[in-house]
Amino acid sequence: MSATCDETHDPGLQSWVTTANDPDTDFPIQNLPFGRFRPAGGQDGDSEWRIGVAIGDQVLDLQATGLVASTDMKALMSTAPAARRALRLKLSQGLREGSATEASWRNALSPMAAVTMGLPCEIGDYTDFYVGLHHAIAVGKQFRPDNPLLPNYQWVPIGYHGRSSTINVSGTDFPRPVGQRRGEDDKHPAFGPSARVDLELEVGVFIGQGNEQGRPITIGDAEDHVFGIALFNDWSARDLQAWEYQPLGPFLSKNFASTVSPWIVTMEALAPFRSAFERPAGDPEPLPYLDSQANRAQGAIDIGLEVWLQTARMRAAGSSGQRLSQSNFASAAYWTVAQLVAHHTVNGCSLRSGDLFGSGTLSGAAPGQEGSMLEMSLGGKRPITLDNGETRSFLEDGDAIVLRGRCQRDGARSIGFGTCRATVLPALT
């Protein structure tokens, strides 16, 4: 594990960007996540995406500071860990109270409200994993009550290759998907809009440095190849999924839309929030290529996660929505980030800068910690009653889902991820 705490994590650091000193901000000087932005109001192609760093309610134009010469985010992401740490230190020093760069760097700032955020980088390949143990058990019980986990789950990080072309940045709404579905009592499948659109509470893992085809990444080196983490909602059409998934797995039920938050919180920023990775008592130990002392000691990442729903009626009434659930990456995940990288490449698969891993749904073990409506409503058998009297089994047109994430620990400055939001629109057919 290459990320360790240093002076950039000092909880006492203050910034001359005063909004970064607000205890409620997601983006204090101890965070410094990366994203891509351009002036708001422009059309696609009007200006190229620029690399920005979030600080308080401002975006720092990294090229305008002189710290980088290129606006190529993937080139920055592919730099070695030592170079990334050096850049983080320069940013931290330049943004601190009393810095000599304050006068010149103020000209490199733009209010977040005055910019348009894009995808954090151009996303290449996308793999969705299934690391959420409690989600796997809860969903498995709906189909196999006596044997919810399949035999391979405790041995293999389960995943499938998804579609990167329909991954959208937060704030990009999408139409309800259409496709084939067949109910238990239906003789033939029907075609039409999905009636069971669902959310999936996930994190997205962005690859930094890649590897040559045929050269696996060892678990000891795995996190050197990870740039950072964002929030991720891998929307699902559960009725389409139930009909299509055998024998090859999800297809149209998953590739219509996914939403990622615009800021990548780096592995360096997450260093204070690492903890021991432990499997449930009695479970088998991972095979040697998925195991290391460092992974056991600090492989887990403590990220508090929340799911919020804002219905059209709530929006019309001026309500920001209702929290449906809360969970945590560290306690929900059965496999670590390092294990995902090691497994993905052990057969010689090549990863490239900008590739994205979805974690899979990160549900907790207790009620109120579900990461999908499939779990919250028991597959639609127990509709959820909202505070305003509305009910939901799955998402309706006009429903917006907002994911939030935050890291908190005694002795460290709390940092956040921004929001990951999208609204389900009516189907186009």
Side-chain angles (χ1 to χ4, degrees):
M1 308 296 168
S2 62
T4 57
C5 291
D6 57 28
E7 66 178 79
T8 66
H9 302 96
D10 181 352
L13 290 180
Q14 297 280 289
S15 174
W16 50 263
V17 181
T18 56
T19 55
N21 304 324
D22 185 335
D24 294 327
T25 184
D26 278 356
F27 307 121
I29 194 172
Q30 292 81 359
N31 192 346
L32 304 177
F34 291 82
R36 293 193 304 168
F37 77 100
R38 60 188 177 199
Q43 300 298 314
D44 290 348
D46 283 357
S47 59
E48 65 178 342
W49 293 110
R50 301 181 69 83
I51 301 174
V53 173
I55 180 73
D57 63 356
Q58 304 288 307
V59 178
L60 181 72
D61 186 330
L62 199 55
Q63 190 179 28
T65 65
L67 293 179
V68 299
S70 170
T71 58
D72 185 350
M73 177 68 91
K74 290 202 289 188
L76 185 153
M77 293 168 64
S78 65
T79 55
R84 299 203 308 258
R85 289 194 293 270
L87 175 59
R88 175 179 167 83
L89 178 59
K90 290 178 181 177
L91 285 166
S92 175
Q93 292 173 336
L95 288 166
R96 293 176 196 176
E97 285 184 338
S99 170
T101 65
E102 177 180 349
S104 60
W105 281 22
R106 279 194 179 276
N107 296 324
L109 289 176
S110 297
M112 288 188 181
V115 303
T116 296
M117 299 302 300
L119 287 171
C121 66
E122 292 183 9
I123 297 172
D125 287 315
Y126 158 50
T127 301
D128 194 32
F129 283 95
Y130 197 50
V131 307
L133 173 64
H134 306 297
H135 174 73
I137 292 173
V139 173
K141 284 181 177 179
Q142 294 186 23
F143 300 98
R144 301 176 301 276
D146 298 327
N147 188 30
L149 284 183
L150 294 174
N152 61 353
Y153 191 85
Q154 296 175 329
W155 297 96
V156 178
I158 304 297
Y160 70 93
H161 294 287
R163 183 77 180 175
S164 61
S165 62
T166 44
I167 298 176
N168 306 312
V169 71
S170 176
T172 307
D173 303 330
F174 62 92
R176 179 176 296 272
V178 299
Q180 289 191 34
R181 62 188 190 278
R182 189 180 120 175
E184 294 180 1
D185 300 326
D186 296 337
K187 185 176 181 180
H188 301 290
F191 177 83
S194 169
R196 294 191 162 203
V197 174
D198 199 0
L199 69 107
E200 289 196 349
L201 172 63
E202 305 192 20
V203 299
V205 178
F206 281 92
I207 298 299
Q209 287 187 319
N211 63 302
E212 294 181 17
Q213 184 176 352
R215 292 185 177 273
I217 299 172
T218 67
I219 192 167
D221 294 334
E223 286 196 9
D224 286 346
H225 293 261
V226 177
F227 185 72
I229 290 178
L231 302 177
F232 191 63
N233 188 344
D234 187 32
W235 306 90
S236 298
R238 300 299 186 186
D239 42 2
L240 276 58
Q241 183 178 1
W243 173 235
E244 75 178 6
Y245 83 102
Q246 294 184 358
L248 294 181
F251 184 32
L252 299 187
S253 59
K254 291 282 191 175
N255 69 3
F256 60 94
S258 299
T259 306
V260 66
S261 55
W263 296 106
I264 305 176
V265 176
T266 64
M267 299 302 286
E268 289 75 26
L270 293 168
F273 309 102
R274 307 303 293 262
S275 58
F277 169 68
E278 299 177 348
R279 284 193 158 186
D283 281 13
E285 297 297 337
L287 294 178
Y289 79 97
L290 294 172
D291 196 14
S292 73
Q293 185 57 44
N295 189 63
R296 292 186 184 212
Q298 55 174 343
I301 307 175
D302 185 3
I303 304 174
L305 301 167
E306 295 184 346
V307 177
W308 287 72
L309 167 65
Q310 184 193 50
T311 69
R313 188 191 298 179
M314 292 174 183
R315 197 155 46 248
S319 169
S320 60
Q322 175 180 336
R323 188 175 67 188
L324 295 182
S325 67
Q326 53 186 336
S327 182
N328 189 288
F329 183 33
S331 59
Y334 195 73
W335 300 96
T336 68
V337 169
Q339 288 172 323
L340 299 186
V341 173
H343 182 69
H344 204 306
T345 63
V346 73
N347 66 342
C349 176
S350 174
L351 299 179
R352 292 172 291 190
S353 178
D355 285 355
L356 175 65
F357 294 176
S359 64
T361 307
L362 297 170
S363 302
Q369 297 180 345
E370 303 89 350
S372 70
M373 299 193 77
L374 180 68
E375 300 164 78
M376 297 177 201
S377 70
L378 294 180
K381 297 176 182 177
R382 187 185 64 190
I384 307 159
T385 300
L386 304 174
D387 292 344
N388 67 352
E390 293 182 271
T391 60
R392 289 291 186 276
S393 295
F394 293 94
L395 296 173
E396 296 186 4
D397 294 346
D399 286 349
I401 290 293
V402 180
L403 307 184
R404 295 190 174 102
R406 197 165 183 87
C407 299
Q408 301 181 81
R409 181 163 291 179
D410 290 343
R413 181 67 159 87
S414 174
I415 65 174
F417 290 73
T419 58
C420 179
R421 177 191 179 103
T423 301
V424 181
L425 303 177
L428 297 179
T429 59

